[in-house]
Amino acid sequence: MNPSRRNLNLLPGYSKLMEMARQPFDLSSPDALTTERLAAQVCRAAGFEILYATERVDQAVLDALQSLADESGAVEQFLMMKGGAIMNRIEGFACENRQVLHTATRDIFAAAPRQPAATEQARQELAKLDQFLTELESGVLTNQAGEPFTDLINIGIGGSDLGPRAVYHALAAYSLPNRRVHFISNVDPDDAAQFLSGIDPARTLVNVVSKSGTTLETLTNEELARAAFARAGLDSARHFLAVTGKGSPLENPDRYLRTFYMYDYIGGRYSTTSMVGAVLLGFALGNTRFIEFLRGANCMDQAAENRNLRENPALLLAMLGIWNRNFLGLDTLAILPYSQPLCRFTAHLQQCDMESNGKSVTRLGETLAYKTGPIVWGEPGTNGQHAFYQLLHQGTITVPVEFIGFRESQQGQDIQINRTSSQEKLIANLLAQALALATGQENPNPNRAFAGNRPSLIILADRLDPFSMGGLLALYEAKIVLQGFVWNINSFDQEGVQLGKVLANRLLNHFSGLKQDKNYNGKAKDPLGYALLSEAGMLKLS
Ligand code: G6Q
């Protein structure tokens, strides 16, 4: 089937859903939440359950969302993407014009992968990594004093930081003994100084991750780290690793102990399962657990091929998100994990979703007549309950919520107090929040009344481990791209980050101009930028 690639508002199901959205399911009406509804509105796949009885949908709306997904050809496009079609493209305009093949990095378990050439490249890099990790673990590869490497500093930003960092924190409990990973991303010198002062460089590897090999923050921090190694009398070429695109300026074997590659068909924010995440996660977890993480992601990628949204967690999340965004008109989405190890996961999803779907033109470059990606935000666990949940329950805007939880704790160390474990307290809180948001509560005191009727869903798995973390990552990656297909936008470029970079460089030129030439006239070159620097008090410092 050739997918329609029509704009959302031109699909036959759009007007039907608009009509249905005039009287959406009322979660706060007395008989809304029944035990039958709770049992019926569960989607199970790839080791996850999605409980969605607390969304404002009934079976008729779900059927209409299914039709809309079918009409958009979302799953067909997902399959085309996995097969290597050029999905990163705006017709008729200059654009990246690339394949989108992050799923190939974990399609390594199949005898016949969907895109054999890309999966072969992934296998080759994984074999190189396995060899490197084996050398480290067996003691063949040590520092100059014959000691093992215990720490790794990851230098990268955006897609070369957020996803890998989120997964490292999520799985740190599974780390090999004596292995720690630290992260420097910001160009803020205080960020780098904090880590460089707290570690023993002699036992530390530095992993420089940049697909382009040109990112200002990363290159600056690399030089900062190399200077620290030189001060410690160490040869940085024996400590520094590179993960980069083939042919990038970082590709220089003389400067790095090992170089691993990622390819232009893997977007930064989708690159956690490529070498971008693999090197640091492999160092921390060992090869076997990293492969288990890939297996979980692959399992969810397969589940995402199912055309039935009631059986496909990613398509279900995508279409419920579109219902909330385009038909109920809700502007934000809170992702709230009840799991402290997921403390950086929402930050990763914020990038993955907002950079992918924060778009205003179609894949033909036309201005959109409907909303696309929401503002994504959130924090873990019960901490949020003591902070911003007041607004979620009684504020003047409605915020849809995606809760994430696990039936068992990760480390199994728990305590019974008042005959309940901490894990039971944690999950009881999660479930209670979904109920409270949905049902609300009447009270003659208006300040203590809860209107309810606020939508949420619950993502559950048994335990946060490498397999389920892979699944969770792939669940959101697939949700985001499926939504992009329905919205008929390009979810794979990020032109919107360019202007700020260009202007920052223009401002930086004024500093270097002033340092080089006493008669430098920045005002003539760039009146507005120069005036802004002056008002900000920055010219006095140069
Ligand atoms: C992600 C973006 C962006 C990118 C960073 C780092 O999809 O492209 O966040 O990952 O700008 O880029 P480099 O890896 O090229 O340094």
Side-chain angles (χ1 to χ4, degrees):
M1 177 184 163
N2 191 15
S4 64
R5 293 199 182 195
R6 273 179 292 169
N7 292 351
L8 173 66
N9 57 339
L10 301 179
L11 298 175
Y14 181 81
S15 46
K16 185 172 177 194
L17 279 157
M18 273 296 183
E19 191 54 40
M20 290 172 137
R22 290 157 73 99
Q23 272 195 314
F25 187 81
D26 184 353
L27 293 163
S28 63
S29 76
D31 301 325
L33 279 191
T34 60
T35 52
E36 291 77 20
R37 181 179 164 93
L38 290 178
Q41 297 200 182
V42 181
C43 168
R44 291 190 172 82
F48 283 85
E49 282 83 37
I50 316 292
L51 279 55
Y52 60 101
T54 44
E55 288 284 350
R56 299 193 63 190
V57 291
D58 55 18
Q59 294 303 319
V61 168
L62 283 168
D63 289 342
L65 288 171
Q66 177 71 62
S67 301
L68 192 74
D70 294 341
E71 289 157 12
S72 72
V75 174
E76 281 75 14
Q77 293 183 67
F78 184 70
L79 289 167
M80 286 170 61
M81 179 193 90
K82 286 176 101 176
I86 308 264
M87 303 306 277
N88 178 356
R89 183 173 167 78
I90 301 283
E91 295 294 330
F93 292 90
C95 59
E96 291 186 342
N97 208 26
R98 289 179 184 158
Q99 296 171 297
V100 176
L101 284 170
H102 51 279
T103 50
T105 59
R106 55 246 189 177
D107 202 6
I108 53 171
F109 308 99
R114 290 217 170 259
Q115 220 296 329
T119 296
E120 184 47 36
Q121 285 180 319
R123 284 188 176 132
Q124 284 171 12
E125 291 305 308
L126 283 168
K128 267 167 58 186
L129 178 63
D130 185 22
Q131 168 73 26
F132 173 64
L133 296 175
T134 305
E135 287 174 32
L136 286 177
E137 277 165 46
S138 63
V140 171
L141 187 61
T142 60
N143 70 5
Q144 283 149 277
E147 299 161 331
F149 291 104
T150 54
D151 292 70
L152 181 145
I153 298 178
N154 199 72
I155 298 182
I157 194 164
S160 294
D161 166 66
L162 284 159
R165 192 195 292 236
V167 174
Y168 172 71
H169 283 297
L171 300 178
Y174 294 86
S175 290
L176 297 170
N178 284 323
R179 291 279 172 91
R180 289 169 297 273
V181 177
H182 318 271
F183 296 86
I184 303 176
S185 56
N186 208 320
V187 77
D188 180 346
D190 294 335
D191 191 12
Q194 190 191 338
F195 285 113
L196 293 171
S197 63
I199 50 128
D200 173 8
R203 287 169 161 260
T204 300
L205 293 167
V206 177
N207 188 34
V208 183
V209 186
S210 178
K211 178 178 166 180
S212 61
T214 59
T215 303
L216 169 85
E217 291 88 339
T218 302
L219 298 185
T220 305
N221 283 326
E222 176 178 2
E223 290 315 315
L224 224 133
R226 281 193 193 266
F229 274 66
R231 281 198 300 277
L234 296 164
D235 174 6
S236 56
R238 298 180 70 164
H239 290 256
F240 279 49
L241 313 168
V243 178
T244 193
K246 275 251 174 189
S248 96
L250 279 195
E251 203 182 355
N252 181 351
D254 295 341
R255 275 168 62 88
Y256 300 100
L257 179 65
R258 297 285 157 93
T259 298
F260 299 93
Y261 294 107
M262 51 111 65
Y263 295 87
D264 72 352
Y265 51 70
I266 298 171
R269 56 193 174 273
Y270 298 98
S271 66
T272 308
T273 54
S274 75
M275 284 299 118
V276 168
V279 174
L280 76 93
L281 292 171
F283 176 82
L285 306 173
N287 196 54
T288 308
R289 288 185 178 133
F290 180 71
I291 297 293
E292 199 50 20
F293 165 69
L294 294 185
R295 196 183 297 280
N298 181 247
C299 185
M300 186 59 79
D301 287 342
Q302 289 178 39
E305 295 182 5
N306 192 327
R307 286 174 182 76
N308 184 345
L309 64 74
R310 289 174 171 89
E311 296 171 1
N312 176 341
L315 185 60
L316 180 69
L317 256 62
M319 297 314 293
L320 290 172
I322 284 174
W323 170 248
N324 287 330
R325 181 82 180 109
N326 297 97
F327 300 101
L328 301 188
L330 305 176
D331 288 331
T332 87
L333 169 66
I335 300 178
L336 308 175
Y338 277 63
S339 164
Q340 193 58 28
L342 289 178
C343 59
R344 294 295 298 165
F345 190 54
T346 304
H348 163 61
L349 296 180
Q350 198 170 48
Q351 180 198 24
C352 202
D353 196 318
M354 293 171 75
E355 201 162 70
S356 297
N357 289 340
K359 305 287 166 63
S360 321
V361 298
T362 68
R363 286 180 285 185
L364 292 172
E366 311 148 333
T367 302
L368 285 165
Y370 44 86
K371 301 271 179 73
T372 56
I375 296 166
V376 176
W377 62 282
E379 277 288 319
T382 54
N383 300 16
Q385 288 177 208
H386 296 261
F388 52 82
Y389 277 43
Q390 165 65 37
L391 183 147
L392 298 186
H393 287 286
Q394 289 187 318
T396 51
I397 60 165
T398 299
V399 180
V401 179
E402 292 174 1
F403 293 105
I404 303 172
F406 301 91
R407 284 178 277 269
E408 297 163 28
S409 69
Q410 194 178 49
Q411 305 199 40
Q413 292 171 20
D414 209 337
I415 186 171
Q416 298 277 334
I417 293 183
N418 295 334
R419 274 177 283 159
T420 58
S421 67
S422 293
Q423 186 65 20
E424 286 165 343
K425 292 180 177 81
L426 185 67
I427 298 306
N429 268 282
L430 182 167
L431 299 174
Q433 292 300 326
L435 265 187
L437 286 167
T439 58
Q441 194 172 60
E442 287 177 7
N443 194 311
N445 176 346
N447 196 38
R448 292 189 172 164
F450 293 77
N453 206 18
R454 296 175 181 231
S456 68
L457 59 77
I458 301 161
I459 300 169
L460 281 173
D462 283 343
R463 179 198 272 241
L464 181 59
D465 58 20
F467 184 88
S468 62
M469 187 60 231
L472 191 60
L473 181 84
L475 168 67
Y476 274 97
E477 287 179 357
K479 170 201 171 180
I480 291 163
V481 306
L482 287 164
Q483 285 191 328
F485 295 144
V486 177
W487 282 321
N488 195 22
I489 57 176
N490 181 2
S491 302
F492 309 109
D493 65 1
Q494 54 284 321
E495 295 297 336
V497 303
Q498 295 308 332
L499 180 59
K501 282 190 203 170
V502 171
L503 294 184
N505 279 328
R506 198 181 291 172
L507 297 184
L508 280 174
N509 286 340
H510 293 310
F511 293 137
S512 46
L514 282 168
K515 284 174 193 163
Q516 270 166 17
D517 173 6
K518 268 203 205 110
N519 301 318
Y520 175 80
N521 186 351
K523 224 183 242 177
K525 287 195 171 132
D526 169 23
L528 203 57
Y530 201 78
L532 188 57
L533 280 175
S534 170
E535 291 307 322
M538 290 301 290
L539 295 181
K540 286 184 279 199
L541 304 174
S542 281

